[in-house]
Amino acid sequence: MVKEILLLGDKRLYQKSESAQMGKDLDPIIADLHDTLMDFRIRYQAGRAIAAPQIGVGERIIYMHLDSPTVFINPELEFPDGEEMEVLDDCMSFPDLYVRVKRHKRCIIKYFDTGWKKREMILEGDLAELLQHEYDHLDGILATMRAIDNKAFYMSGEII
């Protein structure tokens, strides 16, 4: 079911999520994340991933859909080096705003899949940025909180 995406300023976005529990039926949450992401894509022609807190679910789940879906349950991020990159970050929780932030250029994400099998991905560039952004949602951190300075905000159509 398509859920309402919480918008910037909603206090629930700033809360740290709890670990998802093995044995709990996560399928309804995952279906809601899928439906909500696909609906956002239709409306905005954008959106590659969504975190459970963005639909008001305080569990550590990220749903990513590129060519096929990937579900990250209780993910953990590691950074193999300190190299960073500067990016314009956008978010479904503030769809017309872009924020200039620094992210790690590379990361390793360790997580459980929907069968509770341990997985690991090594990411670089835009996918590393994407998963860092979504992971931040699990900790109650928004891109606006990572702005490189107080002039790092742009409305869509005003990016230079």
Side-chain angles (χ1 to χ4, degrees):
M1 174 182 299
V2 174
K3 297 292 186 178
E4 175 185 357
I5 296 173
L6 304 183
L7 296 177
L8 183 64
D10 190 306
K11 292 178 182 180
R12 293 172 287 177
L13 287 171
Y14 304 102
Q15 296 173 355
K16 187 170 182 172
S17 297
E18 299 292 327
S19 295
Q21 298 302 307
M22 188 180 296
K24 178 180 178 183
D25 182 10
L26 300 177
D27 290 343
I29 297 169
I30 294 165
D32 290 347
L33 289 168
H34 170 83
D35 293 347
T36 304
L37 178 62
M38 295 304 118
D39 178 70
F40 187 89
R41 279 188 184 175
I42 290 167
R43 290 187 292 121
Y44 291 94
Q45 291 74 52
R48 300 176 293 164
I50 187 170
Q54 290 180 275
I55 61 168
V57 176
E59 295 192 51
R60 299 184 75 77
I61 302 169
I62 297 170
Y63 179 85
M64 180 175 75
H65 196 291
L66 303 176
D67 295 329
S68 60
T70 305
V71 178
F72 302 86
I73 301 170
N74 298 335
E76 295 178 10
L77 278 182
E78 295 177 5
F79 305 104
D81 58 52
E83 190 174 356
E84 293 183 324
M85 59 186 175
E86 194 173 289
V87 297
L88 276 177
D89 206 346
D90 60 342
C91 182
M92 288 188 267
S93 292
F94 42 89
D96 295 319
L97 180 68
Y98 292 85
V99 183
R100 191 173 303 283
V101 301
K102 284 190 176 181
R103 298 278 188 195
H104 290 271
K105 191 169 186 177
R106 284 171 282 287
C107 66
I108 300 166
I109 188 164
K110 297 178 179 182
Y111 63 99
F112 292 96
D113 64 17
T114 56
W116 290 94
K117 183 175 179 183
K118 280 192 159 211
R119 301 281 184 183
E120 181 177 307
M121 282 181 162
I122 300 170
L123 305 166
E124 187 167 342
D126 66 333
L127 285 181
E129 182 276 325
L130 174 65
L131 269 294
Q132 288 171 75
H133 173 102
E134 299 304 336
Y135 186 87
D136 273 354
H137 277 296
L138 304 180
D139 287 333
I141 299 169
L142 301 180
T144 53
M145 299 159 74
R146 293 203 182 274
I148 60 170
D149 62 30
N150 63 358
K151 296 178 184 173
F153 300 90
Y154 306 89
M155 297 303 294
S156 61
E158 297 179 359
I159 300 171
I160 42 178

